[in-house]
Amino acid sequence: MRQHDDVAARGGAIMAGAPLEHVVARASGLMLTDRAVGQVLDLLTATLLQAVPAACGAGVTVVDRDRDEGHGGTTTAATGTLVEAADAVQYRLAEGPCLAAWLTRRAVRVDVVATDPRWPRWAQEVAALDVASVLSAPMVAGDLAVGSLKLYAHEPHAFGPRDETTLNLFAAQGALLLASARTFRDAGRLSQDVRTVLARRDALQRAAGLLMGRDGLTDQAALAHLAARAEQERTGVHQIATRLLTDHTHRVAGR
């Protein structure tokens, strides 16, 4: 029986590969803005729903890596309101299969929601939403666990080994997309920080040059003057430099 399941699982992965190629192709070459990532994740969940007919909904949970474990989940893609409602229960209670998949980095299957003993509060509320079974897979890229991909079904025992293999395949692609998007955003923040530092340095150099030309100070004396004023006024040197340049510009314009 185990051999049959393994063969079926491999077959499911091959069948899932074809629609998944469309998602990967759609993501290739995109600038990884939040909007673009959201569009690809919407496509990912919609395609996953087609690949696993037993499911009634699919969604992506992204977890903030800077928050405490078990908290900070956000649904960034969902095929319907049922997914959003079921996910909201997990985030509010800070427990459930999607968060568990992210924490353990292993797929989590719930065959009968109403009687599952692992998360009784979650099970009671989600069963009331007409969710009978759940399958969740972690989204892991390298050492980074970014969230989880999940499937919901109205019927108990809806998912098997083939579906788990398919879900893991989709989750791996989604994880690469989200990890790349985070790198893209981090690079953007770093680039902005560099631009800020360069702008401040430029203002400082221009202010020192103004003092050298106006008051006949040396370079070191001009910088010392700016530093002394900053200490006296308890503010940053770049702020003193910017104010000096602004005042000079206003005086020149008023002549």
Side-chain angles (χ1 to χ4, degrees):
M1 184 66 179
R2 177 61 180 272
Q3 184 179 4
H4 173 74
D5 287 343
D6 289 343
V7 172
R10 287 195 296 271
I14 294 172
M15 288 188 293
L20 184 55
E21 286 178 1
H22 176 54
V23 178
V24 174
R26 177 69 178 84
S28 299
L30 283 177
M31 288 190 64
L32 297 178
T33 62
D34 289 340
R35 181 179 178 182
V37 170
Q39 290 174 342
V40 176
L41 290 178
D42 285 340
L43 178 61
L44 182 79
T45 52
T47 306
L48 174 61
L49 203 56
Q50 294 176 352
V52 185
C56 65
V60 174
T61 291
V62 174
V63 182
D64 189 338
R65 59 187 173 184
D66 296 326
R67 298 187 184 184
D68 293 338
E69 291 186 346
H71 297 75
T74 303
T75 299
T76 58
T79 57
T81 56
L82 174 64
V83 175
E84 295 173 346
D87 284 354
V89 174
Q90 292 197 66
Y91 307 149
R92 175 165 49 81
L93 298 177
E95 66 175 36
C98 301
L99 296 177
W102 168 68
L103 281 168
T104 63
R105 302 191 178 197
R106 299 183 65 179
V108 176
R109 191 169 79 195
V110 181
D111 291 324
V112 184
V113 168
T115 59
D116 193 278
R118 289 171 288 184
W119 313 282
R121 295 184 301 162
W122 167 83
Q124 182 179 4
E125 292 195 36
V126 172
L129 297 174
D130 195 23
V131 173
S133 53
V134 182
L135 182 62
S136 297
M139 301 177 74
V140 180
D143 295 330
L144 180 63
V146 295
S148 60
L149 183 63
K150 86 294 299 274
L151 290 166
Y152 293 112
H154 291 309
E155 300 297 326
H157 300 282
F159 306 117
R162 175 185 301 180
D163 303 316
E164 185 173 327
T165 300
T166 299
L167 185 63
N168 280 325
L169 186 63
F170 275 75
Q173 291 298 327
L176 290 174
L177 174 67
L178 288 172
S180 297
R182 285 188 174 182
T183 301
F184 181 81
R185 288 195 297 270
D186 289 345
R189 284 193 292 268
L190 178 60
S191 179
Q192 181 58 47
D193 289 343
V194 170
R195 286 194 294 268
T196 299
V197 169
L198 292 176
R200 289 179 175 179
R201 188 182 68 177
D202 179 65
L204 185 60
Q205 291 175 340
R206 288 168 54 208
L210 176 62
L211 290 175
M212 292 167 63
R214 188 188 69 184
D215 301 335
L217 300 177
T218 65
D219 181 41
Q220 292 298 320
L223 291 173
H225 174 78
L226 292 171
R229 282 192 57 182
E231 184 176 357
Q232 182 180 9
E233 298 182 23
R234 295 183 179 180
T235 188
V237 175
H238 68 278
Q239 291 174 313
I240 295 295
T242 301
R243 190 190 312 163
L244 180 64
L245 293 170
T246 301
D247 291 344
H248 176 71
T249 300
H250 287 164
R251 283 195 300 270
V252 171
R255 290 177 183 174

